[in-house]
C-alpha cells in the first residue's frame, strides 16, 4: 500500500525477544567468547592468517567491506543535505544508525585484529604519527568520525525517546535540541568530509600492495573507486534494510522515496561501471580480463553481478516494484562487497604458492560482530524512532501508548489473536 | 716366475687358495663397479673365470723421482696374502724395490725383461721425470732416466703412470720445480698412457687397469687428462661419507673443536674434496674404512690434482662447481596456507542462510507498486501473512 | 522542495571551483615542501652484497644469525634440525634452493632488503619500522608497533614476519644485527661466510665491487647487472646471480619504489589537510543554507501535525 513517509516511528507492535533476536544475540555471545580465546591464544590459533596473508577477514571484511555498507549516512546524507533532496531526510535515521553500527563494530574488529593493542595510545600523540600511512589515516579518521559526528547524528532519536519516556526532562531535551540545531551544519559536514577521506584511504590501503594486487583491480584510482563504491553500497544497504524491515514488521512503503533511492543508486552504479571500464581500458589492464584464470573469472563475476544489478535498478525505476528494488539492491550489495573485498585477499597474490582461507573461529568472530550489530538494530528499531513511517502511524502508536503506558515501542503482552509473535 | 701358465694355474701352483683369489676378484668388482668391461661381468665367478684363463701379464716397473709410496701402498694392501696375491696375478718382471738383484745384475734384468716381453709388457712408471739439465737430475745406470724411459716405453704395450708424480709431476714439480719435473705423458708419445694420480693412489685402481688391459684387451675409458673414468670421474665431495654433514650445515671450524671431534664436514678447514677427482671417498685404502685423510679428520689436500695440491693454500676453501644439493633445502617458492574445513562449511552455511533468507524475504515484498490507500490508514494485515 | 537544475549547476560549479582551488593549493604546497619526490640513498648507507655464484648453501649464516639475534632455532617442522621453510619469527635469514629440472641450480639468501624507500616504513602507522637517516638500516621498535601487519602486506619481498602464537607478538626481520653494528662489528652472517658470498660494507662500495665483478666476468652474471641498484627505488642489499632474478625470489617492480609510485596522490591531496579543509568549508556553507530552509519546514510540520519535530 502506498504510504507517505513523514517521520520516523518505532516498531511498536512487536515484542523484543523474538526468536531471530535471540539467535543473533546467541551468535554475538559466541563471537565474544571466541574473542577472549583470540586474546589469550594469539592470532594464529584463532584464525587462518599466515605471514603470506597477514590480513584475514577481520580487517578486510569487517572493517574494509562492512564500513562500505555503513556509508549510508555519508552517501544518503550528501544527497539529502548537499543536493537538498528533502524526501530523503526521513530515511536518514535508518542510514545513520546502520552506519554507526557498521563503523562501531568495524572499529572493534580492527582493535581485536591488531596484535599489540596496548600501543594504540600513540593514537593520541599526533607528533609521532607517520602521516603518509594510509592505515593511520583510516584508523584516526574512522575513530574520530564514529565517535564524534556519526555518534552525534544518532543523538536525536535518543532525545525523542527521552522526551517521550521522561516528560519531566523535556526542558533539558529542548535545550539540547537548540544545541543540535546550532551545531548541525558543522557536525554534519564533518560527517561527510571524514568518510570521504577514510573510505578513499581504505582503497589506498591496497595501493601499497603494488603489483601483487592483480592488475584488474590495482589502479591509481583505487581510492576513488572505493569511496564511490562505498556510496552506492550505502544506498543499497539502506534500501535493503528499509525493504526487509517493511516486510518483516509490516510497515508501509513510501514508494516515491524508495524510487528516489533507487534512482540515485542506479546513477552511482552506472557511472562507476563506466569509470571503471574506462580506467581499465586506458591502462591496458582490460586485456587481463580475457585470460583463462581465476582472477579473470572473479572479475567477470563481480562485473556481471553489478551490471545485472544496474539493469534491475533501471527496471525497478520503471516499474516501481519493491521486489525488483530489493533484488537490485541485493545484487548491488553483493557486487560492491565483492569489489571491495577482492583486492585485499582473492586478487592479492603476495607470492606464488600462498593461499588463505579463514578458519572457523575467525568466521565465527566476524559473524558474531555482525550479529551484534543486527541485534542492536533490531532492538533499536523497536525502541527508538528509526524506521520511517507516516504521521498516522505515529498517532496510532501514541494511542496505543495511552492505553498501555510504558516505554514507547515496547509491546505489551500480545493479546491473543491480535498481534502475532515473530520478528 | 713362470710365464707359460695361466693365472689360475699359476695361483694353484703357488698354493694360493681359490677362496683368496675369489676374494681378490670381489675386491676388484668393488673397486670398479662400472666403467670396466672386466668388472662389468655379472658375478665374481665370471671375473675369476676371465682372469683365470689369462696368461699372467708381464709388468715392468720403473722408478724415477719418487718416494716409493705407490709401491708401498701396493705392498700394504691388507694382509700379506693379498699383496702376495697381486704379485702372483701379475708377473712383476722388474721392480727395483722388491727385486733381489742390484747393480749390473739389475741392469741386465731390465734388459732381459724388456727383450723377452717386447711389445707385450705393461710399463708402470712411478715418480716424476726430471727434464732439467738434460735429465741430469736422475740417472739409472749412468744414463739419464728420461732416456731409459723413452727406450723402455718404446717396447711396451701400454704405459701406466702411477701416482701424481708420474701423472703430472707431483711433489718434485711444486714451485719452483728446480728439476723440471714433469709427468710421463709429457715425455712419452705414441703409446697409450694411463694416469693414476694420487699420493698414493688406491692400488686396486692399478690392478683393475692392468687386468682389464690384459684380460679384455682394451684400456678403460679415460678422461681428458688420461685418468680412467671409473676411478676419477667424480670428485670426492660427491660421494664423501661426511656429505650429509655438509648438506646439513655442520662444519668443523677449528681442529679439535666439537664439530671436528664429532666428525663433521671439513669444508671450512680447507677440504679440497669439491675440486678433487679421485675415488678415495668410496674405496678406502687398506680395505679399512676411514683409512684416508678425511676419515682421519684431515681435510683433503687434493693430491690427485695438478691445479690444486700445490697451488691452493691448504686451509683455503674452494668453490663448488656443479653443486648437487639435496632436496632438503626449502624451495624459493613454497606453498603456505590451506583451506580450513570448518571455515569452508561455515562459509557455505552462512551464504546459504543469507541467500535463503533474502529470497524468502523477497517473496513477501510486494512485486508491484503499492496503490494509494483509500482511507489513509496504514495497511491492515493481509490475511494469511503473519505480522512480524 | 527540490532545487532547480540551474541552482544545482551553480552549486556544483562554485563548490567545484572551491574544491579545485584547495586541491591546487595542496598540490602546490606538496611541490614546494618536497622539492622532488624521489627518495635519496642515505649518506652512509650500509649494505650487503650477495653473490649467488659463490654461495655453497652451507647455511652457516642462518646459524650465526640465529645466535647473534638471540632467536631460538626453528625446529617446528623437523625436531632434529633447524630447518625453517621460510623466513619466520624465528628466522631472520634463510638459504633457499632454486633447482631446475635441467640441473641448473642456485642458492639464494633471503633477508630484509633494507630498501632505499621502504614500503614497510611507509605503511607503519606509528613508525614502528623506521629507516635510519644516516645508515639506512630499517629497524623495528616494539614500542611503536601495534601489530597491525600492514608492513607484511606492503613489503614486495615478503620479509617482515609475525609471531602468530601467544599474547605478545612481534614483527621479526633482519636489522643488520643492529646491536653488533652499534659495537662497530659487522652483521653475523657476513662475518661467518666461508666463501665471502655475502659481504658487508657501504652500499656505494658494494655497488662498485659488484660492477667490478660483472666487468671482470662478462656473461657470468644474469643480464650483467646487479639487482638492487634501481629496482623498487633501490635496495641496500644487492644481489648478483647467474640465474634470472625472479627464479630466486626477487620480484621486478620497476624502478619506482612502492610508496613513491602509489602514494603520490595521497600525499598531494592530503598535504597539510588543505583540501579536506576546503571541502569542509564548501560543505558547511551549503548545509547551512539548506538547514535554514529545513528548520522552517520543521516548525511548520510540527504545528500542522501536532507531533514533535524530528531533527
Amino acid at each position: 500500500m502506498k504510504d507517505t513517509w513523514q517521520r520516523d516511528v518505532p516498531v511498536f507492535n512487536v515484542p523484543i525477544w523474538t526468536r531471530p533476536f535471540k539467535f543473533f544475540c546467541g551468535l554475538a555471545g559466541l563471537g565474544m567468547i571466541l574473542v577472549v580465546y583470540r586474546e589469550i591464544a594469539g592470532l594464529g590459533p584463532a584464525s587462518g592468517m599466515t605471514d603470506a596473508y597477514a590480513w584475514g577477514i577481520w580487517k578486510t571484511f569487517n572493517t574494509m567491506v562492512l564500513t562500505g555498507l555503513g556509508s549510508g549516512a555519508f552517501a544518503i546524507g550528501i544527497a539529502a543535505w548537499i543536493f537538498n533532496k528533502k524526501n530523503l531526510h526521513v530515511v536518514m535515521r535508518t542510514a545513520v544508525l546502520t552506519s554507526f553500527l557498521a563503523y562501531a563494530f568495524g572499529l572493534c574488529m580492527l582493535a581485536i585484529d591488531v596484535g599489540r593493542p596496548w600501543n594504540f595510545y600513540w593514537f593520541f600523540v599526533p607528533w609521532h604519527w607517520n602521516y603518509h600511512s594510509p592505515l593511520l589515516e583510516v584508523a584516526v579518521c574512522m575513530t574520530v568520525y564514529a565517535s564524534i559526528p556519526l555518534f552525534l547524528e544518532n543523538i536525536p532519536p535518543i532525545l525523542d525517546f527521552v522526551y517521550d519516556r521522561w516528560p519531566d526532562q523535556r526542558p533539558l531535551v529542548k535545550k539540547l535540541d537548540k544545541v543540535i540545531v546550532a551545531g548541525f551544519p558543522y557536525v554534519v559536514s564533518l560527517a561527510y568530509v571524514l568518510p570521504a577521506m577514510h573510505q578513499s584511504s581504505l582503497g589506498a590501503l591496497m595501493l601499497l600492495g603494488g603489483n601483487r594486487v592483480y592488475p584488474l583491480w590495482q589502479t591509481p584510482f583505487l581510492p576513488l573507486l572505493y569511496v564511490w563504491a562505498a556510496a552506492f553500497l550505502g544506498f543499497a544497504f539502506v534500501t535493503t534494510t528499509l525493504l526487509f524491515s517493511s516486510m518483516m514488521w509490516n510497515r508501509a512503503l513510501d514508494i516515491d522515496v524508495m524510487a528516489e533511492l533507487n534512482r540515485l543508486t542506479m546513477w552511482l552504479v552506472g557511472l562507476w561501471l563506466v569509470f571503471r571500464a574506462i580506467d581499465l581500458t586506458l591502462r591496458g589492464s582490460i586485456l587481463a580480463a580475457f585470460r583463462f584464470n581465476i582472477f579473470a573469472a572473479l572479475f567477470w563475476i563481480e562485473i556481471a553481478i553489478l551490471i545485472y544489478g544496474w539493469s534491475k535498478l533501471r527496471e525497478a525505476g520503471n516499474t516501481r516494484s519493491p521486489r525488483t528494488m530489493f533484488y537490485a539492491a541485493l545484487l548491488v550489495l553483493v557486487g560492491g562487497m565483492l569489489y571491495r573485498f577482492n583486492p585485499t585477499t582473492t586478487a592479492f597474490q603476495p607470492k606464488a604458492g600462498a593461499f588463505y582461507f579463514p578458519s572457523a573461529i575467525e568466521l565465527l568472530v566476524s559473524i558474531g560482530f555482525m550479529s551484534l550489530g543486527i541485534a542492536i538494530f533490531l532492538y533499536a528499531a523497536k525502541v527508538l524512532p528509526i524506521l520511517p513511517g507516516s504521521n498516522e502511524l505515529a498517532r496510532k502508536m501514541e494511542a496505543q501508548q495511552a492505553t498501555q503506558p510504558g516505554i514507547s515501542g515496547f509491546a505489551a503482552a500480545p493479546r491473543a489473536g491480535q498481534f502475532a509473535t515473530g520478528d | 716366475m713362470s710365464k707359460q701358465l695361466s693365472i689360475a694355474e699359476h695361483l694353484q701352483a703357488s698354493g694360493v687358495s681359490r677362496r683368496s683369489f675369489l676374494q681378490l676378484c670381489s675386491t676388484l668388482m668393488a673397486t670398479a663397479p662400472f666403467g670396466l668391461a672386466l668388472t662389468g661381468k655379472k658375478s665374481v665367478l665370471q671375473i675369476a673365470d676371465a682372469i683365470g684363463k689369462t696368461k699372467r701379464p708381464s709388468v715392468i716397473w720403473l722408478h724415477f723421482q719418487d718416494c716409493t709410496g705407490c709401491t708401498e701402498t701396493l705392498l700394504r694392501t691388507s694382509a700379506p696374502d693379498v699383496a702376495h696375491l697381486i704379485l702372483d696375478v701379475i708377473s712383476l718382471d722388474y721392480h727395483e724395490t722388491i727385486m733381489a738383484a742390484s747393480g749390473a745384475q739389475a741392469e741386465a734384468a731390465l734388459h732381459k725383461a724388456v727383450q723377452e716381453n717386447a711389445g707385450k709388457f705393461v710399463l708402470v712408471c712411478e715418480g716424476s721425470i726430471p727434464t732439467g739439465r738434460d735429465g741430469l737430475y736422475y740417472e739409472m745406470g749412468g744414463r739419464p732416466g728420461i732416456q731409459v724411459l723413452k727406450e723402455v716405453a718404446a717396447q711396451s704395450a701400454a704405459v701406466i703412470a702411477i701416482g701424481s708424480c708420474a701423472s703430472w709431476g707431483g711433489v718434485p714439480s711444486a714451485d719452483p720445480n728446480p728439476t723440471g719435473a714433469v709427468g710421463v705423458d709429457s715425455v712419452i708419445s705414441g703409446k697409450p698412457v694411463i694416469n693414476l694420480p694420487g699420493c698414493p693412489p688406491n692400488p686396486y685402481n692399478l690392478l683393475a687397469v692392468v687386468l682389464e688391459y690384459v684380460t679384455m684387451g682394451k684400456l678403460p675409458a679415460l678422461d681428458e687428462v688420461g685418468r680412467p673414468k671409473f676411478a676419477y670421474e667424480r670428485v670426492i665431495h660427491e660421494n664423501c661419507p661426511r656429505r650429509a654433514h655438509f648438506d646439513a650445515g655442520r662444519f668443523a671450524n677449528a681442529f679439535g673443536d666439537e664439530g671436528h671431534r664429532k666428525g663433521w664436514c671439513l669444508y671450512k678447514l680447507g677440504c679440497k674434496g669439491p675440486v678433487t677427482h679421485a675415488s678415495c671417498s668410496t674405496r678406502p685404502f687398506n680395505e679399512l674404512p676411514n683409512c684416508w685423510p678425511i676419515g682421519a679428520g684431515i681435510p683433503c689436500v687434493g693430491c690427485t690434482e695438478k691445479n690444486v695440491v700445490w697451488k691452493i693454500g691448504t686451509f683455503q676453501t674452494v668453490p663448488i662447481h656443479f653443486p648437487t644439493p639435496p632436496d632438503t633445502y626449502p624451495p624459493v617458492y613454497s606453498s603456505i596456507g590451506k583451506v580450513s574445513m570448518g571455515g569452508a562449511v561455515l562459509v557455505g552455511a552462512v551464504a546459504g542462510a543469507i541467500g535463503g533468507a533474502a529470497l524468502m524475504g523477497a517473496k513477501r515484498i510486494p512485486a508491484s507498486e503499492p496503490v494509494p490507500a483509500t482511507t489513509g490508514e496504514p495497511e491492515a494485515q493481509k490475511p494469511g501473512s503473519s505480522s512480524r | 522542495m527540490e532545487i532547480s537544475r540551474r541552482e544545482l549547476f551553480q552549486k556544483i560549479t562554485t563548490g567545484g571551483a572551491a574544491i579545485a582551488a584547495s586541491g591546487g593549493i595542496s598540490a602546490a604546497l606538496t611541490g614546494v615542501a618536497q622539492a622532488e619526490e624521489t627518495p635519496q640513498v642515505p649518506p652512509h648507507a650500509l649494505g650487503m652484497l650477495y653473490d649467488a655464484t659463490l654461495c655453497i648453501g652451507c647455511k652457516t649464516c642462518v646459524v650465526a644469525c640465529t645466535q647473534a639475534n638471540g632467536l631460538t632455532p626453528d625446529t617446528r617442522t623437523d625436531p632434529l634440525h633447524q630447518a625453517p621453510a621460510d623466513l619466520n619469527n624465528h628466522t631472520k635469514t634463510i638459504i633457499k634452493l632454486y633447482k631446475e629440472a635441467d640441473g641448473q641450480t642456485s642458492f639464494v639468501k633471503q633477508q630484509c632488503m633494507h630498501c632505499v624507500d621502504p614500503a614497510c616504513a611507509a605503511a607503519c602507522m606509528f613508525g614502528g619500522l623506521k629507516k635510519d637517516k644516516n645508515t639506512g638500516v630499517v629497524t623495528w621498535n616494539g614500542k611503536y608497533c601495534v601489530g597491525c601487519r600492514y608492513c607484511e602486506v606492503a613489503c614486495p619481498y615478503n620479509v617482515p614476519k609475525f609471531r602468530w602464537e601467544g599474547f605478545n607478538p612481534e614483527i621479526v626481520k633482519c636489522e643488520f644485527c643492529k646491536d653488533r653494528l652499534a659495537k662497530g662489528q659487522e652483521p653475523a652472517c657476513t662475518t661467518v661466510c666461508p666463501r665471502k658470498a655475502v659481504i658487508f660494507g657501504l652500499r656505494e662500495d658494494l655497488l662498485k665491487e659488484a660492477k667490478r665483478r660483472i666487468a671482470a666476468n662478462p656473461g657470468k652474471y644474469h643480464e650483467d647487472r646487479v639487482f638492487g641498484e634501481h629496482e623498487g627505488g633501490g635496495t641496500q642489499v644487492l644481489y648478483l646471480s647467474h640465474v634470472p632474478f625472479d627464479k630466486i625470489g626477487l620480484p621486478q617492480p620497476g624502478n619506482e619504489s612502492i610508496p613513491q609510485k602509489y602514494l603520490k596522490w595521497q600525499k598531494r591531496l592530503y598535504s597539510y589537510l588543505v583540501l579536506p579543509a576546503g571541502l569542509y568549508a564548501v560543505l558547511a556553507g551549503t548545509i547551512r543554507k539548506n538547514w535554514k530552509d529545513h528548520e522552517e519546514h520543521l516548525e511548520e510540520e510540527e504545528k500542522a501535525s501536532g507531533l514533535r519535530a524530528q531533527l
Side-chain angles (χ1 to χ4, degrees), chain B residues 135-163:
Chain B
L136 177 73
Y137 291 103
Y138 176 77
E139 289 187 344
M140 292 170 71
R143 291 189 301 142
I146 193 167
Q147 207 181 329
V148 174
L149 172 63
K150 282 182 183 165
E151 283 170 13
V152 174
Q155 307 274 18
S156 69
V159 180
I160 296 178
I162 186 164

Short mmCIF file of all heavy atoms in Angstrom, two decimals, chain B residues 135-163:
data_model
loop_
_atom_site.label_atom_id
_atom_site.label_comp_id
_atom_site.label_asym_id
_atom_site.label_seq_id
_atom_site.Cartn_x
_atom_site.Cartn_y
_atom_site.Cartn_z
N GLY B 135 118.12 -33.92 -18.18
CA GLY B 135 117.85 -35.14 -17.42
C GLY B 135 118.93 -35.49 -16.42
O GLY B 135 118.99 -36.62 -15.92
N LEU B 136 119.81 -34.53 -16.12
CA LEU B 136 120.94 -34.79 -15.22
C LEU B 136 120.49 -35.23 -13.84
O LEU B 136 121.19 -35.98 -13.16
CB LEU B 136 121.76 -33.50 -15.13
CG LEU B 136 122.97 -33.51 -14.19
CD1 LEU B 136 124.07 -34.35 -14.81
CD2 LEU B 136 123.46 -32.10 -13.96
N TYR B 137 119.30 -34.74 -13.41
CA TYR B 137 118.91 -34.93 -12.02
C TYR B 137 118.57 -36.36 -11.65
O TYR B 137 118.43 -36.68 -10.48
CB TYR B 137 117.73 -34.00 -11.69
CG TYR B 137 118.12 -32.55 -11.67
CD1 TYR B 137 117.80 -31.71 -12.74
CD2 TYR B 137 118.85 -32.03 -10.60
CE1 TYR B 137 118.18 -30.39 -12.72
CE2 TYR B 137 119.23 -30.70 -10.58
CZ TYR B 137 118.89 -29.88 -11.64
OH TYR B 137 119.26 -28.57 -11.63
N TYR B 138 118.41 -37.24 -12.67
CA TYR B 138 118.14 -38.62 -12.30
C TYR B 138 118.78 -39.52 -13.35
O TYR B 138 118.50 -39.40 -14.54
CB TYR B 138 116.63 -38.86 -12.22
CG TYR B 138 116.29 -40.31 -11.95
CD1 TYR B 138 116.42 -40.85 -10.67
CD2 TYR B 138 115.87 -41.15 -12.99
CE1 TYR B 138 116.12 -42.17 -10.42
CE2 TYR B 138 115.58 -42.49 -12.74
CZ TYR B 138 115.71 -42.99 -11.46
OH TYR B 138 115.42 -44.29 -11.21
N GLU B 139 119.65 -40.41 -12.85
CA GLU B 139 120.30 -41.32 -13.80
C GLU B 139 120.16 -42.75 -13.34
O GLU B 139 120.22 -43.03 -12.14
CB GLU B 139 121.79 -40.96 -13.95
CG GLU B 139 121.98 -39.65 -14.69
CD GLU B 139 123.43 -39.38 -14.98
OE1 GLU B 139 124.29 -40.02 -14.35
OE2 GLU B 139 123.69 -38.52 -15.83
N MET B 140 119.90 -43.62 -14.30
CA MET B 140 119.85 -45.05 -13.99
C MET B 140 121.01 -45.70 -14.71
O MET B 140 121.09 -45.68 -15.94
CB MET B 140 118.56 -45.68 -14.53
CG MET B 140 117.31 -45.25 -13.86
SD MET B 140 115.90 -45.86 -14.81
CE MET B 140 115.99 -47.61 -14.45
N GLY B 141 121.86 -46.30 -13.93
CA GLY B 141 123.00 -46.97 -14.57
C GLY B 141 123.78 -45.99 -15.42
O GLY B 141 124.26 -46.34 -16.50
N GLY B 142 123.90 -44.75 -14.94
CA GLY B 142 124.72 -43.79 -15.64
C GLY B 142 124.02 -43.09 -16.79
O GLY B 142 124.57 -42.17 -17.38
N ARG B 143 122.80 -43.54 -17.12
CA ARG B 143 122.12 -42.86 -18.23
C ARG B 143 120.96 -42.04 -17.68
O ARG B 143 120.32 -42.46 -16.72
CB ARG B 143 121.58 -43.89 -19.23
CG ARG B 143 122.71 -44.59 -19.96
CD ARG B 143 122.22 -45.44 -21.09
NE ARG B 143 121.30 -46.46 -20.63
CZ ARG B 143 120.22 -46.82 -21.32
NH1 ARG B 143 119.93 -46.25 -22.47
NH2 ARG B 143 119.42 -47.75 -20.85
N PRO B 144 120.66 -40.91 -18.29
CA PRO B 144 119.53 -40.10 -17.80
C PRO B 144 118.22 -40.91 -17.82
O PRO B 144 117.94 -41.64 -18.78
CB PRO B 144 119.44 -38.95 -18.80
CG PRO B 144 120.78 -38.90 -19.45
CD PRO B 144 121.32 -40.30 -19.43
N GLY B 145 117.48 -40.79 -16.75
CA GLY B 145 116.25 -41.54 -16.62
C GLY B 145 115.30 -41.30 -17.77
O GLY B 145 114.59 -42.20 -18.22
N ILE B 146 115.29 -40.09 -18.25
CA ILE B 146 114.37 -39.76 -19.33
C ILE B 146 114.67 -40.60 -20.57
O ILE B 146 113.77 -41.03 -21.29
CB ILE B 146 114.43 -38.23 -19.61
CG1 ILE B 146 113.26 -37.80 -20.49
CG2 ILE B 146 115.75 -37.83 -20.17
CD1 ILE B 146 113.09 -36.30 -20.55
N GLN B 147 115.94 -40.88 -20.75
CA GLN B 147 116.34 -41.67 -21.91
C GLN B 147 115.91 -43.13 -21.74
O GLN B 147 115.40 -43.75 -22.65
CB GLN B 147 117.86 -41.60 -22.05
CG GLN B 147 118.34 -41.80 -23.46
CD GLN B 147 119.85 -41.73 -23.51
OE1 GLN B 147 120.49 -41.01 -22.72
NE2 GLN B 147 120.45 -42.48 -24.39
N VAL B 148 116.13 -43.65 -20.52
CA VAL B 148 115.72 -45.02 -20.20
C VAL B 148 114.22 -45.17 -20.43
O VAL B 148 113.75 -46.14 -21.03
CB VAL B 148 116.06 -45.36 -18.73
CG1 VAL B 148 115.50 -46.71 -18.37
CG2 VAL B 148 117.55 -45.31 -18.52
N LEU B 149 113.50 -44.17 -19.97
CA LEU B 149 112.04 -44.22 -20.10
C LEU B 149 111.64 -44.34 -21.57
O LEU B 149 110.83 -45.18 -21.95
CB LEU B 149 111.42 -42.97 -19.48
CG LEU B 149 109.90 -42.80 -19.72
CD1 LEU B 149 109.13 -43.94 -19.07
CD2 LEU B 149 109.43 -41.47 -19.18
N LYS B 150 112.24 -43.50 -22.35
CA LYS B 150 111.86 -43.49 -23.76
C LYS B 150 112.17 -44.84 -24.41
O LYS B 150 111.37 -45.38 -25.18
CB LYS B 150 112.60 -42.37 -24.50
CG LYS B 150 111.99 -41.01 -24.25
CD LYS B 150 112.71 -39.93 -25.03
CE LYS B 150 112.13 -38.57 -24.70
NZ LYS B 150 112.97 -37.48 -25.12
N GLU B 151 113.30 -45.41 -24.07
CA GLU B 151 113.68 -46.68 -24.68
C GLU B 151 112.74 -47.80 -24.27
O GLU B 151 112.27 -48.58 -25.10
CB GLU B 151 115.11 -47.05 -24.28
CG GLU B 151 116.17 -46.27 -25.04
CD GLU B 151 117.54 -46.51 -24.45
OE1 GLU B 151 117.69 -47.44 -23.62
OE2 GLU B 151 118.46 -45.75 -24.80
N VAL B 152 112.48 -47.86 -22.97
CA VAL B 152 111.65 -48.96 -22.46
C VAL B 152 110.20 -48.80 -22.93
O VAL B 152 109.55 -49.75 -23.34
CB VAL B 152 111.70 -49.02 -20.92
CG1 VAL B 152 110.73 -50.06 -20.40
CG2 VAL B 152 113.12 -49.33 -20.47
N ALA B 153 109.73 -47.54 -22.88
CA ALA B 153 108.33 -47.30 -23.28
C ALA B 153 108.10 -47.67 -24.73
O ALA B 153 107.03 -48.15 -25.11
CB ALA B 153 107.96 -45.84 -23.02
N ALA B 154 109.14 -47.45 -25.54
CA ALA B 154 109.01 -47.76 -26.96
C ALA B 154 108.68 -49.23 -27.19
O ALA B 154 108.02 -49.59 -28.16
CB ALA B 154 110.26 -47.36 -27.70
N GLN B 155 109.13 -50.09 -26.26
CA GLN B 155 108.92 -51.52 -26.40
C GLN B 155 107.67 -52.00 -25.71
O GLN B 155 107.31 -53.17 -25.78
CB GLN B 155 110.12 -52.29 -25.78
CG GLN B 155 111.45 -51.86 -26.30
CD GLN B 155 111.77 -52.62 -27.57
OE1 GLN B 155 110.90 -53.20 -28.21
NE2 GLN B 155 113.05 -52.64 -27.91
N SER B 156 107.00 -51.09 -24.98
CA SER B 156 105.88 -51.54 -24.15
C SER B 156 104.59 -51.57 -24.95
O SER B 156 104.51 -51.02 -26.05
CB SER B 156 105.70 -50.59 -22.96
OG SER B 156 105.23 -49.32 -23.43
N ALA B 157 103.61 -52.26 -24.38
CA ALA B 157 102.28 -52.25 -24.99
C ALA B 157 101.49 -51.06 -24.49
O ALA B 157 100.75 -50.43 -25.24
CB ALA B 157 101.55 -53.55 -24.63
N ALA B 158 101.65 -50.75 -23.22
CA ALA B 158 100.94 -49.61 -22.65
C ALA B 158 101.73 -49.11 -21.47
O ALA B 158 102.51 -49.85 -20.87
CB ALA B 158 99.54 -50.00 -22.21
N VAL B 159 101.54 -47.84 -21.17
CA VAL B 159 102.25 -47.23 -20.04
C VAL B 159 101.25 -46.78 -19.00
O VAL B 159 100.25 -46.14 -19.31
CB VAL B 159 103.07 -46.01 -20.52
CG1 VAL B 159 103.81 -45.38 -19.34
CG2 VAL B 159 104.05 -46.42 -21.60
N ILE B 160 101.51 -47.17 -17.76
CA ILE B 160 100.68 -46.69 -16.67
C ILE B 160 101.53 -45.78 -15.81
O ILE B 160 102.58 -46.22 -15.32
CB ILE B 160 100.13 -47.85 -15.83
CG1 ILE B 160 99.21 -48.72 -16.69
CG2 ILE B 160 99.36 -47.29 -14.62
CD1 ILE B 160 98.68 -49.91 -15.95
N ALA B 161 101.13 -44.55 -15.66
CA ALA B 161 101.85 -43.63 -14.78
C ALA B 161 101.14 -43.67 -13.44
O ALA B 161 100.04 -43.15 -13.29
CB ALA B 161 101.81 -42.22 -15.35
N ILE B 162 101.78 -44.33 -12.49
CA ILE B 162 101.12 -44.48 -11.19
C ILE B 162 101.58 -43.38 -10.25
O ILE B 162 102.77 -43.08 -10.16
CB ILE B 162 101.37 -45.88 -10.59
CG1 ILE B 162 100.52 -46.04 -9.31
CG2 ILE B 162 102.85 -46.12 -10.32
CD1 ILE B 162 100.39 -47.46 -8.87
N GLY B 163 100.63 -42.78 -9.59
CA GLY B 163 100.94 -41.72 -8.64
C GLY B 163 100.93 -40.35 -9.30
O GLY B 163 101.09 -40.22 -10.51
#
